[in-house]
Every structure is written in C-alpha cells, then in structure tokens.
C-alpha cells in the first residue's frame, strides 16, 4: 500500500528554503517535487517566490523585503502532496538528439565500455535504445539531467574533472546522463557530442522550453518531464547539422 509523499522544510540562508519530499516510490517523489515547484512558480502563494526543482527537493527563493520565511513555510505546508486528476508532471514532447560517439567527441566511450563490460557498439546501442526522461535542470546553464542508459552498473566519474568540456557534450555518470549546453568543467564521462545548438541567449526560436513555460523566454528548448532520444550520426552528418537549433520532434 503506497503512502502519500511527505514534505520537510528547512531554512537555506536568509532568502530561501529547502523543501524535501520523502516517499516510498522515487517516481512519485519526483512528480510531487515538480508539482510543488509548478504551484509555487505560478505565483499562487506570493509573486516574489521562485522555485527550482531537483530529484527530491525544491529550492524556494523569496524576497525578504516583501515576505518572510515563516510565511512561505506556512503556505507550503498548506499544499497537498497527494496527486489529483490531471496533476501529473506534463511531458510536452520528445527531442531527437543526433550524437557523434567516440573519438574526440566522446573520449570516454571506450573506457565506459570497459566498465560496463560490453563492446563499444553495444554501449551506443544502450544509449540509443530508449527515450530518456529529463528529471531536472542542473548547472551550468540548465544542463538536461536525465535517467541514464541501462548499463547494469553505475559509471564512476573522472578522478580529476576536465577543466573544459565542449558545448553539446553527452556524458554519463552513476546511473544518469547529461546534455551540456555550454563549455564548462565536468567530471562526468563524455561519450559523445551533439552538433545542435542548445543554449539561446537572444530569445529566438522559443518552443516552450525552460523559462518559457510561464510566458518567459526559452533559454533552453526543454524542461523537466520532456524526453530525449539519442541517435548516432557519422562525422559528415555531424558537420552538416552544426548550429541547427535543438527542437521538439514535432516542432513546426
């Protein structure tokens, strides 16, 4: 018999709260986290509150000149963690992501194959075998944190992180995968790279992605609840797709 997820609230500095969600089912916890964040970001309790969801917690930021942590805590405790009809986290679409695997684009691919204990081609096959759910957006620049391939074993991170991983890097660690929109340091195992342009700082080509769900500009073309499907490409196809904006599968 499943129980309704429960929440805990603790201060996080002078202008933020950390709300944790606890429950027996990890998918239910994740869904509750994102329902709570959506409720907060719609401005239903206070217009100066913003919420950043992760896997099992929400960082709630507020303006201390207009409200207090105690007041926000009271509002949050009034929220019902139980799902209601139509309250599931939306999945607006699927994004197809071409990937050049291995070589300079994926320097850790062969190493990952060794850890997993299968040939390189099978690693690529496992990465491309299913749609990967975007669980949350991480740093830097709203990286897409997804469920990982079904490797059977967790993938260790680099002992010493690289100082620069290029934009579009597709990397794995633990039982997760990540798409990096910008060049940044990383300790994840880079297995490939997409030629698609991900980060948009000029507000162009808005597709309802992160930042655009509530009328703002889409900085990246995805949000938690979306799914990505990787597929392999060769070097010529990769070169031909360089700079093409990342979009939903059914984008017009």
């Amino acid at each position: 018999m499943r129980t309704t997820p429960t929440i805990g609230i603790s201060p996080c500095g002078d202008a933020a709260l950390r709300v944790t969600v606890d429950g027996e089912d990890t998918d239910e916890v994740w869904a509750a986290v994102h329902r709570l964040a959506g409720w907060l970001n719609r401005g239903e309790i206070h217009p100066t509150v913003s919420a950043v969801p992760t896997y099992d917690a929400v960082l709630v930021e507020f303006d201390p000149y207009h409200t207090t942590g105690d007041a926000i805590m009271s509002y949050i405790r009034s929220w019902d963690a139980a799902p209601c009809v139509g309250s599931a986290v939306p999945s607006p679409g699927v994004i197809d992501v071409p990937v050049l695997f291995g070589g300079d684009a994926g320097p850790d691919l062969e190493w990952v194959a060794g850890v997993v204990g299968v040939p390189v081609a099978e690693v690529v096959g496992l990465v491309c075998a299913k749609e990967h759910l975007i669980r949350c957006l991480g740093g830097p620049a709203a990286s897409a944190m997804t469920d990982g391939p079904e490797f059977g074993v967790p993938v260790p991170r680099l002992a010493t992180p690289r100082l620069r991983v290029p934009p579009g890097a597709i990397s794995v660690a633990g039982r997760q995968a990540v798409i990096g929109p910008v060049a940044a340091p990383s300790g994840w195992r880079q297995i490939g790279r997409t030629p698609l342009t991900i980060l948009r700082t000029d507000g162009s080509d808005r597709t309802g992605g992160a930042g655009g769900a509530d009328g703002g500009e889409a900085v990246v073309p995805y949000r938690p609840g979306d799914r990505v499907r990787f597929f392999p490409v060769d070097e010529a196809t990769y070169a031909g797709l360089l700079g093409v904006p990342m979009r939903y599968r059914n984008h017009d």
Side-chain angles (χ1 to χ4, degrees):
M1 181 177 180
R2 292 182 176 177
T3 58
T4 300
T6 58
I7 62 173
I9 309 173
S10 59
C12 191
D14 295 329
L17 302 170
R18 184 172 186 265
V19 183
T20 57
V21 179
D22 183 45
E24 297 178 358
D25 186 284
T26 55
D27 283 333
E28 288 183 358
V29 166
W30 175 79
V33 161
H34 288 268
R35 287 198 306 272
L36 173 59
W39 180 66
L40 292 169
N41 284 328
R42 285 194 295 272
E44 295 185 14
I45 66 170
H46 201 284
T48 62
V49 171
S50 65
V52 181
T54 61
Y55 281 77
D56 60 359
V58 183
L59 178 66
V60 183
E61 299 174 306
F62 59 88
D63 185 343
Y65 289 100
H66 292 88
T67 187
T68 67
D70 287 342
I72 300 302
M73 283 187 188
S74 179
Y75 280 121
I76 292 173
R77 289 194 179 102
S78 73
W79 179 73
D80 186 356
C84 58
V85 176
S87 69
V89 176
S91 180
V94 177
I95 298 175
D96 293 312
V97 181
V99 181
L100 179 62
F101 287 97
D104 291 339
D108 298 316
L109 179 61
E110 291 189 6
W111 187 92
V112 170
V115 168
V116 176
V118 300
V120 165
E122 190 169 338
V123 170
V124 174
L126 290 170
V127 172
C128 300
K130 66 174 186 178
E131 295 174 356
H132 300 266
L133 177 65
I134 298 178
R135 292 286 184 174
C136 66
L137 306 185
S143 298
M145 311 289 291
T146 80
D147 290 340
E150 295 181 359
F151 287 152
V153 297
V155 176
R157 298 191 183 200
L158 290 162
T160 303
R162 293 187 175 93
L163 296 180
R164 186 186 187 279
V165 172
I170 310 300
S171 305
V172 294
R175 298 186 185 277
Q176 299 172 267
V178 65
I179 306 172
V182 297
S186 176
W188 291 49
R189 301 285 179 171
Q190 184 184 347
I191 59 174
R193 187 178 179 189
T194 181
L196 303 183
T197 295
I198 305 170
L199 189 69
R200 298 165 189 154
T201 58
D202 60 359
S204 63
D205 194 24
R206 299 169 192 168
T207 62
D214 298 308
E217 295 181 354
V219 179
V220 290
Y222 46 71
R223 71 184 85 180
D226 284 339
R227 295 177 181 272
V228 295
R229 186 70 179 258
F230 301 112
F231 64 95
V233 296
D234 58 23
E235 292 186 2
T237 303
Y238 178 93
L241 291 172
L242 274 173
V244 172
M246 180 179 283
R247 298 187 177 101
Y248 287 133
R249 180 179 292 170
N250 297 322
H251 176 78
D252 293 326

